[in-house]
Amino acid sequence: MQYRRYYKEGASYFFTINLADRSSDLLIKEVAILREAFKTVKQKHPFHIDAIVILPDHLHLLCTLPNNDSDFSKRIKLIKYYFSYRIAKTEPISKSRHTKKERGIWQRRFWEHCIRDEADYIARINYIHMNPVKHGHVDAVRDWQYSSFHRFVTQGLLPIDWGS
């Protein structure tokens, strides 16, 4: 199947990236390795992380690409690759994935949305920050440590009790 993706240089995009095993807590268990994967990819293929939340089995990311670049797929692929490369091989691997020499960590695809305007941008940031509450991981946004919400509070963009 050929997926149609909208590539626009310098655009901001919202992503949802899921683990294959949605009952896993791998992303928070190995959050240091995930952060290192992001850092490595950002050094080689720059982008700005506008907002992010890392949940046990998926993450949401809002990022902005450089003005002369539209290749978000490469960045997502490399983040998945660097993370997968650095963790132990304990996940079950299907025959299909084995044939393609893939790990069984991530869902093969990801969901992306190109940000249309400022209202869309703000709505996606709010969605990202509220997601740990939505999934029942915490009662208050401030209590989830794997979120850019804390950077927003430090920068004076949101109050600590936002979302309560």
Side-chain angles (χ1 to χ4, degrees):
M1 171 172 268
Q2 194 69 9
Y3 283 87
R4 291 185 182 179
R5 302 232 186 241
Y6 179 67
Y7 293 95
K8 182 178 177 186
E9 292 181 350
S12 295
Y13 287 90
F14 171 84
F15 299 98
T16 300
I17 307 168
N18 296 308
L19 291 179
D21 178 1
R22 295 301 304 267
S23 67
S24 175
D25 66 350
L26 187 63
L27 294 182
I28 57 173
K29 191 167 68 174
E30 300 292 355
V31 72
I33 293 172
L34 183 60
R35 286 177 173 148
E36 190 62 33
F38 270 89
K39 181 179 176 185
T40 300
V41 173
K42 283 181 68 178
Q43 287 171 348
K44 296 178 181 185
H45 305 281
F47 64 97
H48 181 263
I49 297 175
D50 300 279
I52 189 169
V53 66
I54 301 165
L55 296 158
D57 63 339
H58 70 284
L59 66 89
H60 296 291
L61 168 67
L62 177 64
C63 70
T64 301
L65 299 176
N67 287 333
N68 61 345
D69 196 342
S70 65
D71 196 355
F72 58 79
S73 291
K74 177 189 287 184
R75 289 164 173 85
I76 301 300
K77 179 180 178 179
L78 288 172
I79 289 165
K80 289 179 174 184
Y81 169 79
Y82 285 120
F83 178 80
S84 301
Y85 181 78
R86 303 253 340 263
I87 63 170
K89 293 182 180 181
T90 59
E91 77 281 358
I93 300 175
S94 69
K95 189 175 183 177
S96 170
R97 285 182 186 263
H98 182 73
T99 301
K100 294 178 181 180
K101 297 183 176 164
E102 294 176 350
R103 300 274 310 260
I105 298 170
W106 300 99
Q107 288 184 3
R108 286 185 172 141
R109 308 283 181 225
F110 56 88
W111 191 83
E112 120 275 335
H113 166 77
C114 185
I115 302 301
R116 297 181 306 267
D117 54 31
E118 187 174 352
D120 188 19
Y121 183 83
I122 292 167
R124 301 301 169 161
I125 290 171
N126 292 343
Y127 180 85
I128 286 169
H129 292 154
M130 284 300 295
N131 214 248
V133 174
K134 173 187 170 191
H135 287 283
H137 297 299
V138 291
D139 292 326
V141 175
R142 68 176 168 264
D143 296 333
W144 191 253
Q145 63 180 334
Y146 309 111
S147 172
S148 59
F149 171 74
H150 304 287
R151 176 171 43 103
F152 279 64
V153 171
T154 301
Q155 293 174 346
L157 300 172
L158 291 173
I160 191 69
D161 62 348
W162 180 88
S164 296

mmCIF file of all heavy atoms in Angstrom, residues 50-90:
data_model
loop_
_atom_site.group_PDB
_atom_site.id
_atom_site.type_symbol
_atom_site.label_atom_id
_atom_site.label_comp_id
_atom_site.label_asym_id
_atom_site.label_seq_id
_atom_site.Cartn_x
_atom_site.Cartn_y
_atom_site.Cartn_z
ATOM 1 N N ASP A 50 8.547 21.300 19.349
ATOM 2 C CA ASP A 50 7.677 22.333 19.907
ATOM 3 C C ASP A 50 6.973 21.825 21.161
ATOM 4 O O ASP A 50 6.838 22.553 22.144
ATOM 5 C CB ASP A 50 6.648 22.771 18.869
ATOM 6 C CG ASP A 50 7.313 23.332 17.628
ATOM 7 O OD1 ASP A 50 7.707 24.507 17.660
ATOM 8 O OD2 ASP A 50 7.443 22.595 16.640
ATOM 9 N N ALA A 51 6.519 20.573 21.121
ATOM 10 C CA ALA A 51 5.869 19.942 22.274
ATOM 11 C C ALA A 51 5.968 18.436 22.097
ATOM 12 O O ALA A 51 5.983 17.930 20.969
ATOM 13 C CB ALA A 51 4.407 20.372 22.381
ATOM 14 N N ILE A 52 6.032 17.728 23.234
ATOM 15 C CA ILE A 52 6.139 16.270 23.187
ATOM 16 C C ILE A 52 5.602 15.688 24.486
ATOM 17 O O ILE A 52 5.689 16.328 25.543
ATOM 18 C CB ILE A 52 7.600 15.821 22.954
ATOM 19 C CG1 ILE A 52 7.688 14.309 22.694
ATOM 20 C CG2 ILE A 52 8.493 16.240 24.112
ATOM 21 C CD1 ILE A 52 9.055 13.855 22.198
ATOM 22 N N VAL A 53 5.047 14.495 24.391
ATOM 23 C CA VAL A 53 4.715 13.707 25.566
ATOM 24 C C VAL A 53 5.070 12.265 25.243
ATOM 25 O O VAL A 53 4.801 11.774 24.143
ATOM 26 C CB VAL A 53 3.235 13.838 26.007
ATOM 27 C CG1 VAL A 53 2.273 13.263 24.992
ATOM 28 C CG2 VAL A 53 3.024 13.227 27.380
ATOM 29 N N ILE A 54 5.718 11.627 26.196
ATOM 30 C CA ILE A 54 6.082 10.227 26.053
ATOM 31 C C ILE A 54 5.241 9.442 27.049
ATOM 32 O O ILE A 54 5.319 9.683 28.259
ATOM 33 C CB ILE A 54 7.588 10.012 26.304
ATOM 34 C CG1 ILE A 54 8.402 10.839 25.305
ATOM 35 C CG2 ILE A 54 7.932 8.527 26.214
ATOM 36 C CD1 ILE A 54 9.852 10.997 25.658
ATOM 37 N N LEU A 55 4.444 8.542 26.528
ATOM 38 C CA LEU A 55 3.602 7.666 27.341
ATOM 39 C C LEU A 55 4.202 6.262 27.290
ATOM 40 O O LEU A 55 5.121 6.006 26.520
ATOM 41 C CB LEU A 55 2.173 7.710 26.818
ATOM 42 C CG LEU A 55 1.550 9.105 26.952
ATOM 43 C CD1 LEU A 55 0.413 9.285 25.989
ATOM 44 C CD2 LEU A 55 1.106 9.353 28.370
ATOM 45 N N PRO A 56 3.720 5.351 28.114
ATOM 46 C CA PRO A 56 4.334 4.022 28.141
ATOM 47 C C PRO A 56 4.388 3.326 26.780
ATOM 48 O O PRO A 56 5.399 2.703 26.441
ATOM 49 C CB PRO A 56 3.443 3.239 29.113
ATOM 50 C CG PRO A 56 2.877 4.284 30.015
ATOM 51 C CD PRO A 56 2.675 5.491 29.135
ATOM 52 N N ASP A 57 3.328 3.463 25.966
ATOM 53 C CA ASP A 57 3.232 2.700 24.723
ATOM 54 C C ASP A 57 3.149 3.540 23.452
ATOM 55 O O ASP A 57 3.048 2.998 22.363
ATOM 56 C CB ASP A 57 2.015 1.784 24.785
ATOM 57 C CG ASP A 57 0.714 2.583 24.882
ATOM 58 O OD1 ASP A 57 0.755 3.758 25.289
ATOM 59 O OD2 ASP A 57 -0.344 2.025 24.541
ATOM 60 N N HIS A 58 3.170 4.856 23.584
ATOM 61 C CA HIS A 58 3.161 5.719 22.403
ATOM 62 C C HIS A 58 3.664 7.105 22.781
ATOM 63 O O HIS A 58 3.837 7.413 23.954
ATOM 64 C CB HIS A 58 1.777 5.792 21.762
ATOM 65 C CG HIS A 58 0.738 6.526 22.540
ATOM 66 N ND1 HIS A 58 0.110 6.009 23.645
ATOM 67 C CD2 HIS A 58 0.177 7.750 22.342
ATOM 68 C CE1 HIS A 58 -0.769 6.879 24.106
ATOM 69 N NE2 HIS A 58 -0.754 7.947 23.327
ATOM 70 N N LEU A 59 3.910 7.903 21.767
ATOM 71 C CA LEU A 59 4.301 9.287 22.011
ATOM 72 C C LEU A 59 3.601 10.193 21.015
ATOM 73 O O LEU A 59 3.197 9.760 19.937
ATOM 74 C CB LEU A 59 5.825 9.464 21.958
ATOM 75 C CG LEU A 59 6.553 9.249 20.635
ATOM 76 C CD1 LEU A 59 6.620 10.537 19.824
ATOM 77 C CD2 LEU A 59 7.967 8.760 20.906
ATOM 78 N N HIS A 60 3.437 11.441 21.436
ATOM 79 C CA HIS A 60 2.916 12.493 20.559
ATOM 80 C C HIS A 60 3.991 13.555 20.456
ATOM 81 O O HIS A 60 4.611 13.928 21.473
ATOM 82 C CB HIS A 60 1.641 13.114 21.127
ATOM 83 C CG HIS A 60 0.506 12.159 21.229
ATOM 84 N ND1 HIS A 60 -0.147 11.651 20.126
ATOM 85 C CD2 HIS A 60 -0.097 11.612 22.309
ATOM 86 C CE1 HIS A 60 -1.100 10.837 20.517
ATOM 87 N NE2 HIS A 60 -1.097 10.787 21.850
ATOM 88 N N LEU A 61 4.198 14.044 19.274
ATOM 89 C CA LEU A 61 5.259 14.999 18.996
ATOM 90 C C LEU A 61 4.727 16.088 18.084
ATOM 91 O O LEU A 61 4.071 15.802 17.078
ATOM 92 C CB LEU A 61 6.424 14.269 18.307
ATOM 93 C CG LEU A 61 7.531 15.094 17.672
ATOM 94 C CD1 LEU A 61 8.332 15.829 18.732
ATOM 95 C CD2 LEU A 61 8.434 14.188 16.834
ATOM 96 N N LEU A 62 5.010 17.330 18.433
ATOM 97 C CA LEU A 62 4.755 18.469 17.554
ATOM 98 C C LEU A 62 6.115 19.072 17.265
ATOM 99 O O LEU A 62 6.829 19.477 18.199
ATOM 100 C CB LEU A 62 3.836 19.497 18.224
ATOM 101 C CG LEU A 62 3.552 20.765 17.430
ATOM 102 C CD1 LEU A 62 2.796 20.462 16.143
ATOM 103 C CD2 LEU A 62 2.770 21.747 18.277
ATOM 104 N N CYS A 63 6.500 19.061 16.005
ATOM 105 C CA CYS A 63 7.823 19.581 15.665
ATOM 106 C C CYS A 63 7.738 20.460 14.427
ATOM 107 O O CYS A 63 6.784 20.392 13.649
ATOM 108 C CB CYS A 63 8.819 18.450 15.466
ATOM 109 S SG CYS A 63 8.570 17.458 13.992
ATOM 110 N N THR A 64 8.765 21.283 14.271
ATOM 111 C CA THR A 64 8.876 22.179 13.122
ATOM 112 C C THR A 64 10.158 21.846 12.379
ATOM 113 O O THR A 64 11.230 21.747 12.993
ATOM 114 C CB THR A 64 8.865 23.648 13.567
ATOM 115 O OG1 THR A 64 7.641 23.903 14.276
ATOM 116 C CG2 THR A 64 8.981 24.593 12.383
ATOM 117 N N LEU A 65 10.039 21.687 11.073
ATOM 118 C CA LEU A 65 11.182 21.352 10.230
ATOM 119 C C LEU A 65 11.889 22.625 9.759
ATOM 120 O O LEU A 65 11.282 23.701 9.719
ATOM 121 C CB LEU A 65 10.710 20.560 9.014
ATOM 122 C CG LEU A 65 10.020 19.230 9.311
ATOM 123 C CD1 LEU A 65 9.512 18.603 8.019
ATOM 124 C CD2 LEU A 65 10.961 18.293 10.027
ATOM 125 N N PRO A 66 13.151 22.508 9.358
ATOM 126 C CA PRO A 66 13.858 23.669 8.796
ATOM 127 C C PRO A 66 13.184 24.135 7.504
ATOM 128 O O PRO A 66 12.511 23.361 6.815
ATOM 129 C CB PRO A 66 15.260 23.125 8.501
ATOM 130 C CG PRO A 66 15.397 21.889 9.303
ATOM 131 C CD PRO A 66 14.012 21.324 9.460
ATOM 132 N N ASN A 67 13.406 25.398 7.166
ATOM 133 C CA ASN A 67 12.761 26.001 5.990
ATOM 134 C C ASN A 67 13.082 25.298 4.680
ATOM 135 O O ASN A 67 12.305 25.359 3.741
ATOM 136 C CB ASN A 67 13.138 27.478 5.883
ATOM 137 C CG ASN A 67 12.439 28.305 6.935
ATOM 138 O OD1 ASN A 67 11.364 27.946 7.412
ATOM 139 N ND2 ASN A 67 13.055 29.409 7.323
ATOM 140 N N ASN A 68 14.222 24.632 4.605
ATOM 141 C CA ASN A 68 14.627 23.992 3.349
ATOM 142 C C ASN A 68 14.442 22.476 3.378
ATOM 143 O O ASN A 68 15.039 21.755 2.586
ATOM 144 C CB ASN A 68 16.088 24.318 3.051
ATOM 145 C CG ASN A 68 17.018 23.806 4.140
ATOM 146 O OD1 ASN A 68 16.586 23.448 5.240
ATOM 147 N ND2 ASN A 68 18.310 23.786 3.847
ATOM 148 N N ASP A 69 13.612 21.969 4.280
ATOM 149 C CA ASP A 69 13.508 20.521 4.469
ATOM 150 C C ASP A 69 12.057 20.129 4.753
ATOM 151 O O ASP A 69 11.359 20.809 5.502
ATOM 152 C CB ASP A 69 14.404 20.119 5.639
ATOM 153 C CG ASP A 69 14.685 18.632 5.706
ATOM 154 O OD1 ASP A 69 13.952 17.849 5.089
ATOM 155 O OD2 ASP A 69 15.646 18.265 6.412
ATOM 156 N N SER A 70 11.641 19.019 4.159
ATOM 157 C CA SER A 70 10.280 18.519 4.388
ATOM 158 C C SER A 70 10.262 17.043 4.783
ATOM 159 O O SER A 70 9.194 16.467 4.953
ATOM 160 C CB SER A 70 9.429 18.716 3.126
ATOM 161 O OG SER A 70 9.942 17.913 2.073
ATOM 162 N N ASP A 71 11.418 16.433 4.934
ATOM 163 C CA ASP A 71 11.491 14.981 5.110
ATOM 164 C C ASP A 71 11.316 14.549 6.561
ATOM 165 O O ASP A 71 12.261 14.137 7.220
ATOM 166 C CB ASP A 71 12.785 14.432 4.528
ATOM 167 C CG ASP A 71 12.742 12.934 4.333
ATOM 168 O OD1 ASP A 71 11.743 12.296 4.734
ATOM 169 O OD2 ASP A 71 13.724 12.391 3.775
ATOM 170 N N PHE A 72 10.081 14.626 7.035
ATOM 171 C CA PHE A 72 9.805 14.165 8.402
ATOM 172 C C PHE A 72 9.863 12.641 8.491
ATOM 173 O O PHE A 72 10.213 12.093 9.529
ATOM 174 C CB PHE A 72 8.457 14.689 8.907
ATOM 175 C CG PHE A 72 7.276 14.313 8.064
ATOM 176 C CD1 PHE A 72 6.699 13.059 8.145
ATOM 177 C CD2 PHE A 72 6.714 15.233 7.192
ATOM 178 C CE1 PHE A 72 5.606 12.711 7.368
ATOM 179 C CE2 PHE A 72 5.613 14.899 6.415
ATOM 180 C CZ PHE A 72 5.062 13.632 6.503
ATOM 181 N N SER A 73 9.544 11.948 7.410
ATOM 182 C CA SER A 73 9.552 10.479 7.437
ATOM 183 C C SER A 73 10.927 9.930 7.791
ATOM 184 O O SER A 73 11.046 8.967 8.553
ATOM 185 C CB SER A 73 9.098 9.908 6.094
ATOM 186 O OG SER A 73 7.732 10.165 5.881
ATOM 187 N N LYS A 74 11.960 10.550 7.226
ATOM 188 C CA LYS A 74 13.323 10.112 7.534
ATOM 189 C C LYS A 74 13.610 10.264 9.021
ATOM 190 O O LYS A 74 14.187 9.375 9.652
ATOM 191 C CB LYS A 74 14.342 10.915 6.731
ATOM 192 C CG LYS A 74 15.796 10.549 7.060
ATOM 193 C CD LYS A 74 16.795 11.495 6.421
ATOM 194 C CE LYS A 74 16.859 11.238 4.947
ATOM 195 N NZ LYS A 74 17.877 12.061 4.265
ATOM 196 N N ARG A 75 13.181 11.363 9.602
ATOM 197 C CA ARG A 75 13.433 11.608 11.022
ATOM 198 C C ARG A 75 12.726 10.580 11.909
ATOM 199 O O ARG A 75 13.312 10.038 12.840
ATOM 200 C CB ARG A 75 13.015 13.031 11.381
ATOM 201 C CG ARG A 75 13.946 14.084 10.790
ATOM 202 C CD ARG A 75 13.321 15.469 10.824
ATOM 203 N NE ARG A 75 14.261 16.492 10.412
ATOM 204 C CZ ARG A 75 14.505 16.834 9.148
ATOM 205 N NH1 ARG A 75 13.869 16.227 8.158
ATOM 206 N NH2 ARG A 75 15.372 17.785 8.867
ATOM 207 N N ILE A 76 11.459 10.315 11.602
ATOM 208 C CA ILE A 76 10.704 9.335 12.388
ATOM 209 C C ILE A 76 11.336 7.955 12.248
ATOM 210 O O ILE A 76 11.528 7.229 13.231
ATOM 211 C CB ILE A 76 9.221 9.303 11.968
ATOM 212 C CG1 ILE A 76 8.562 10.676 12.140
ATOM 213 C CG2 ILE A 76 8.471 8.213 12.730
ATOM 214 C CD1 ILE A 76 8.566 11.225 13.544
ATOM 215 N N LYS A 77 11.681 7.587 11.029
ATOM 216 C CA LYS A 77 12.322 6.292 10.781
ATOM 217 C C LYS A 77 13.624 6.165 11.573
ATOM 218 O O LYS A 77 13.885 5.120 12.184
ATOM 219 C CB LYS A 77 12.598 6.141 9.282
ATOM 220 C CG LYS A 77 13.281 4.851 8.901
ATOM 221 C CD LYS A 77 13.516 4.785 7.400
ATOM 222 C CE LYS A 77 14.243 3.511 7.025
ATOM 223 N NZ LYS A 77 14.462 3.431 5.574
ATOM 224 N N LEU A 78 14.424 7.212 11.576
ATOM 225 C CA LEU A 78 15.705 7.155 12.280
ATOM 226 C C LEU A 78 15.534 7.144 13.800
ATOM 227 O O LEU A 78 16.289 6.467 14.497
ATOM 228 C CB LEU A 78 16.600 8.324 11.850
ATOM 229 C CG LEU A 78 17.164 8.210 10.438
ATOM 230 C CD1 LEU A 78 17.879 9.502 10.039
ATOM 231 C CD2 LEU A 78 18.107 7.009 10.329
ATOM 232 N N ILE A 79 14.563 7.865 14.318
ATOM 233 C CA ILE A 79 14.301 7.828 15.765
ATOM 234 C C ILE A 79 13.939 6.399 16.162
ATOM 235 O O ILE A 79 14.472 5.855 17.138
ATOM 236 C CB ILE A 79 13.193 8.822 16.160
ATOM 237 C CG1 ILE A 79 13.714 10.257 16.049
ATOM 238 C CG2 ILE A 79 12.692 8.547 17.590
ATOM 239 C CD1 ILE A 79 12.639 11.331 16.061
ATOM 240 N N LYS A 80 13.047 5.780 15.404
ATOM 241 C CA LYS A 80 12.673 4.396 15.677
ATOM 242 C C LYS A 80 13.895 3.478 15.583
ATOM 243 O O LYS A 80 14.091 2.589 16.420
ATOM 244 C CB LYS A 80 11.602 3.918 14.694
ATOM 245 C CG LYS A 80 10.235 4.529 14.881
ATOM 246 C CD LYS A 80 9.304 3.964 13.799
ATOM 247 C CE LYS A 80 7.883 4.370 13.962
ATOM 248 N NZ LYS A 80 7.014 3.727 12.940
ATOM 249 N N TYR A 81 14.695 3.670 14.548
ATOM 250 C CA TYR A 81 15.875 2.838 14.332
ATOM 251 C C TYR A 81 16.862 2.959 15.486
ATOM 252 O O TYR A 81 17.294 1.948 16.045
ATOM 253 C CB TYR A 81 16.561 3.201 13.008
ATOM 254 C CG TYR A 81 17.913 2.544 12.876
ATOM 255 C CD1 TYR A 81 18.015 1.210 12.500
ATOM 256 C CD2 TYR A 81 19.073 3.250 13.171
ATOM 257 C CE1 TYR A 81 19.254 0.592 12.410
ATOM 258 C CE2 TYR A 81 20.319 2.642 13.083
ATOM 259 C CZ TYR A 81 20.410 1.308 12.709
ATOM 260 O OH TYR A 81 21.639 0.704 12.635
ATOM 261 N N TYR A 82 17.252 4.188 15.854
ATOM 262 C CA TYR A 82 18.252 4.375 16.903
ATOM 263 C C TYR A 82 17.761 3.845 18.249
ATOM 264 O O TYR A 82 18.524 3.268 19.009
ATOM 265 C CB TYR A 82 18.668 5.843 17.025
ATOM 266 C CG TYR A 82 19.572 6.298 15.903
ATOM 267 C CD1 TYR A 82 19.206 7.324 15.054
ATOM 268 C CD2 TYR A 82 20.807 5.693 15.688
ATOM 269 C CE1 TYR A 82 20.027 7.739 14.016
ATOM 270 C CE2 TYR A 82 21.633 6.091 14.659
ATOM 271 C CZ TYR A 82 21.248 7.114 13.827
ATOM 272 O OH TYR A 82 22.066 7.509 12.805
ATOM 273 N N PHE A 83 16.486 4.028 18.534
ATOM 274 C CA PHE A 83 15.923 3.481 19.764
ATOM 275 C C PHE A 83 15.979 1.954 19.734
ATOM 276 O O PHE A 83 16.461 1.307 20.670
ATOM 277 C CB PHE A 83 14.484 3.961 19.948
ATOM 278 C CG PHE A 83 13.820 3.407 21.176
ATOM 279 C CD1 PHE A 83 14.073 3.961 22.426
ATOM 280 C CD2 PHE A 83 12.936 2.340 21.090
ATOM 281 C CE1 PHE A 83 13.465 3.453 23.567
ATOM 282 C CE2 PHE A 83 12.316 1.834 22.217
ATOM 283 C CZ PHE A 83 12.587 2.384 23.460
ATOM 284 N N SER A 84 15.504 1.368 18.651
ATOM 285 C CA SER A 84 15.445 -0.090 18.531
ATOM 286 C C SER A 84 16.829 -0.730 18.588
ATOM 287 O O SER A 84 17.007 -1.797 19.179
ATOM 288 C CB SER A 84 14.763 -0.486 17.216
ATOM 289 O OG SER A 84 13.457 0.034 17.170
ATOM 290 N N TYR A 85 17.782 -0.090 17.979
ATOM 291 C CA TYR A 85 19.150 -0.603 17.922
ATOM 292 C C TYR A 85 19.773 -0.711 19.316
ATOM 293 O O TYR A 85 20.561 -1.610 19.579
ATOM 294 C CB TYR A 85 19.989 0.311 17.020
ATOM 295 C CG TYR A 85 21.413 -0.129 16.859
ATOM 296 C CD1 TYR A 85 21.736 -1.176 15.998
ATOM 297 C CD2 TYR A 85 22.442 0.507 17.554
ATOM 298 C CE1 TYR A 85 23.052 -1.586 15.836
ATOM 299 C CE2 TYR A 85 23.755 0.110 17.396
ATOM 300 C CZ TYR A 85 24.065 -0.944 16.546
ATOM 301 O OH TYR A 85 25.365 -1.346 16.400
ATOM 302 N N ARG A 86 19.398 0.207 20.214
ATOM 303 C CA ARG A 86 20.042 0.301 21.522
ATOM 304 C C ARG A 86 19.388 -0.529 22.627
ATOM 305 O O ARG A 86 19.904 -0.591 23.723
ATOM 306 C CB ARG A 86 20.081 1.765 21.976
ATOM 307 C CG ARG A 86 20.789 2.691 21.008
ATOM 308 C CD ARG A 86 22.146 3.212 21.408
ATOM 309 N NE ARG A 86 22.526 3.206 22.777
ATOM 310 C CZ ARG A 86 22.443 4.214 23.626
ATOM 311 N NH1 ARG A 86 21.933 5.359 23.222
ATOM 312 N NH2 ARG A 86 22.861 4.103 24.856
ATOM 313 N N ILE A 87 18.232 -1.123 22.370
ATOM 314 C CA ILE A 87 17.587 -1.901 23.433
ATOM 315 C C ILE A 87 17.689 -3.396 23.141
ATOM 316 O O ILE A 87 17.845 -3.819 21.999
ATOM 317 C CB ILE A 87 16.116 -1.493 23.657
ATOM 318 C CG1 ILE A 87 15.264 -1.749 22.435
ATOM 319 C CG2 ILE A 87 16.017 -0.035 24.084
ATOM 320 C CD1 ILE A 87 13.788 -1.588 22.699
ATOM 321 N N ALA A 88 17.595 -4.179 24.208
ATOM 322 C CA ALA A 88 17.706 -5.634 24.097
ATOM 323 C C ALA A 88 16.595 -6.205 23.224
ATOM 324 O O ALA A 88 15.476 -5.686 23.203
ATOM 325 C CB ALA A 88 17.649 -6.250 25.487
ATOM 326 N N LYS A 89 16.905 -7.285 22.537
ATOM 327 C CA LYS A 89 15.937 -7.947 21.658
ATOM 328 C C LYS A 89 15.129 -8.956 22.469
ATOM 329 O O LYS A 89 15.493 -10.124 22.570
ATOM 330 C CB LYS A 89 16.657 -8.640 20.503
ATOM 331 C CG LYS A 89 17.319 -7.682 19.551
ATOM 332 C CD LYS A 89 17.979 -8.406 18.393
ATOM 333 C CE LYS A 89 18.630 -7.392 17.469
ATOM 334 N NZ LYS A 89 19.254 -8.023 16.323
ATOM 335 N N THR A 90 14.036 -8.470 23.040
ATOM 336 C CA THR A 90 13.180 -9.339 23.846
ATOM 337 C C THR A 90 11.763 -9.445 23.292
ATOM 338 O O THR A 90 10.990 -10.279 23.753
ATOM 339 C CB THR A 90 13.094 -8.820 25.299
ATOM 340 O OG1 THR A 90 12.567 -7.489 25.280
ATOM 341 C CG2 THR A 90 14.463 -8.823 25.964
#
